[in-house]
Amino acid sequence: SAELCLVTVKDSPTKILEKYSPIRCDNKNEAGPIYKKFNPDVLLVATSSLVLGPHVNNEFTKLAHADSKKIICFQDYWANHRWPMNYKMMQLCDTILTIDELCKNFILQDGYRGKVVITGNPAFDKFRDLNVASERARLRKKLNIPEGTFVILHSGTGTPQTFQEDEITFKFLANAVRELKKEQPSLVFISRPHPRDERPNRYQELAPDLGLLDTSSIAMTENLIPVADVIVAMYATNLIHACYLRIPGISILLPNAGQKRLEKISLADFPPNGVGATIGIYKEKTEDLNKELRKIMAKDESLSTMKSAQGRFFVFDKKSATERVVAAIKSELSLTSIPVRLP
């Protein structure tokens, strides 16, 4: 019968996958013993966002490649294979599963010669049948937010490798919110730390005067998305969630912050900005940001253009991404002598 060994790196995935009893490996030197003990026939690995390490995924990939084992990689974000540790790993993979056509194009542009399969992202399946209006009402009742209140949700990116750019972005946003609160004192501002932020109280410390709403009773920021009238971030995954839920999103890419980070993986812009599914702010002018926030407050007709773009580029397939990933893995295993016993 088929066996599965699940390995996680660092806190966030370990907590998310806790019920599956993963083996935690935070040191690449521990990868070898785990690999040799289990001796897998196939390695399923994911691109990593741990730019500063530990590069555990790379170590498992090198070990599997040295043994001539089949390696399948799942990529969950545009162009993140361009981070040095992922680029090295990608070249050793037989097949890459990725989220959409744009992701596939980036991979092929960068010289990958293996198979690329578009599956969508299983992490987004939870939003397929979500009723945003009813969930918004439930969340606002839970958080004691009065009906008709305008809610801004900021999604932080203060990971160890991006916290400096994240703070620059947040301080800019906080200044804009201060100005806006003069016109809209009832405005509610929520700021959520990234799951890997080592200073989870960062935003409260940076802007104690803004009365950030305490939402700690809701563990995952993605479960809080429907409460907001607008999601604001540098380039967080929560902006993609907003696109699927048809909620306005604003991506703040200042020259010395977000733009600088995207340049490291040769992206000129956050992709949803480029297709009009979110709004990009590129200059350090709070009036530019507040102009867009006022439009969203007023339900300006320009919002229909954004929602139209969201409806065109962020659409769920008839089959869930989970089903498509499972089908792709089964297909790859059918090309080997390994018994296919996935559900």
Side-chain angles (χ1 to χ4, degrees):
S1 63
E3 292 182 73
L4 174 70
C5 177
L6 181 63
V7 180
T8 54
V9 185
K10 306 291 275 188
D11 286 334
S12 184
T14 304
K15 289 177 182 176
I16 293 169
L17 298 170
E18 185 176 15
K19 67 178 180 180
Y20 300 106
S21 303
I23 297 172
R24 178 165 172 168
C25 180
D26 287 357
N27 187 323
K28 69 177 186 178
N29 294 328
E30 298 170 0
I34 295 171
Y35 176 86
K36 289 173 184 175
K37 181 178 180 181
F38 189 70
N39 189 26
D41 295 296
V42 176
L43 177 69
L44 176 60
V45 69
T47 50
S48 175
S49 56
L50 300 174
V51 178
L52 302 180
H55 299 150
V56 172
N57 291 12
N58 293 53
E59 198 64 25
F60 277 107
T61 303
K62 285 189 284 186
L63 290 164
H65 180 71
D67 282 350
S68 300
K69 301 293 178 66
K70 178 175 278 292
I71 304 169
I72 305 170
C73 177
F74 178 71
Q75 180 191 42
D76 66 346
Y77 204 85
W78 300 289
N80 66 359
H81 65 275
R82 289 175 175 167
W83 290 115
M85 74 287 184
N86 289 331
Y87 189 78
K88 291 176 186 175
M89 182 177 75
M90 179 184 77
Q91 305 304 324
L92 304 180
C93 297
D94 299 288
T95 302
I96 296 179
L97 314 181
T98 195
I99 59 174
D100 59 21
E101 194 70 38
L102 181 60
C103 259
K104 179 177 179 178
N105 289 341
F106 285 141
I107 292 167
L108 297 177
Q109 285 170 17
D110 293 339
Y112 179 68
R113 294 292 177 260
K115 185 190 296 185
V116 184
V117 182
I118 297 172
T119 60
N121 190 337
F124 299 162
D125 282 346
K126 66 187 295 179
F127 300 115
R128 288 175 66 89
D129 301 312
L130 184 70
N131 184 312
V132 174
S134 62
E135 186 63 8
R136 175 171 291 168
R138 185 190 73 81
L139 286 167
R140 291 194 175 199
K141 182 178 179 181
K142 177 182 176 71
L143 296 169
N144 297 312
I145 299 173
E147 188 176 342
T149 302
F150 188 77
V151 178
I152 299 173
L153 172 58
H154 165 249
S155 179
T157 48
T159 62
Q161 63 263 24
T162 60
F163 73 91
Q164 292 171 312
E165 292 85 356
D166 177 72
E167 287 195 2
I168 291 169
T169 303
F170 177 77
K171 289 174 183 177
F172 169 73
L173 172 60
N175 285 336
V177 171
R178 288 185 185 99
E179 292 177 17
L180 210 56
K181 269 183 166 283
K182 294 174 185 176
E183 307 164 19
Q184 296 282 342
S186 63
L187 178 155
V188 168
F189 185 35
I190 300 170
S191 192
R192 298 277 296 195
H194 189 279
R196 287 188 285 108
D197 194 330
E198 296 177 352
R199 277 179 55 205
N201 295 322
R202 181 186 306 276
Y203 306 121
Q204 183 60 47
E205 294 168 2
L206 290 172
D209 59 306
L210 285 179
L212 301 179
L213 184 68
D214 180 9
T215 57
S216 57
S217 61
I218 298 168
M220 301 288 288
T221 301
E222 62 192 50
N223 294 333
L224 193 57
I225 299 295
V227 81
D229 292 288
V230 60
I231 310 298
V232 184
M234 196 157 65
Y235 49 76
T237 302
N238 293 141
L239 284 172
I240 306 174
H241 299 153
C243 290
Y244 278 108
L245 296 178
R246 311 298 183 248
I247 295 172
I250 297 177
S251 166
I252 300 174
L253 298 173
L254 304 179
N256 60 340
Q259 287 184 41
K260 187 171 76 171
R261 293 299 305 177
L262 288 182
E263 284 170 3
K264 291 180 182 293
I265 52 172
S266 302
L267 281 183
D269 201 350
F270 179 59
N273 292 347
V275 297
T278 51
I279 298 165
I281 300 294
Y282 309 101
K283 296 178 182 177
E284 201 162 350
K285 294 181 178 179
T286 54
E287 58 266 33
D288 288 356
L289 175 54
N290 280 340
K291 179 182 177 182
E292 299 302 333
L293 288 171
R294 289 188 188 100
K295 285 181 184 178
I296 295 169
M297 278 184 180
K299 295 180 170 48
D300 187 87
E301 60 183 28
S302 62
L303 290 185
S304 64
T305 304
M306 185 195 305
K307 291 193 176 181
S308 175
Q310 291 174 337
R312 180 181 174 191
F313 294 101
F314 295 88
V315 184
F316 289 112
D317 193 80
K318 289 181 181 179
K319 287 187 176 180
S320 71
T322 301
E323 291 174 304
R324 294 162 75 192
V325 166
V326 169
I329 294 173
K330 281 184 174 181
S331 176
E332 289 303 303
L333 295 187
S334 71
L335 301 176
T336 71
S337 59
I338 303 162
V340 179
R341 298 184 185 278
L342 290 172

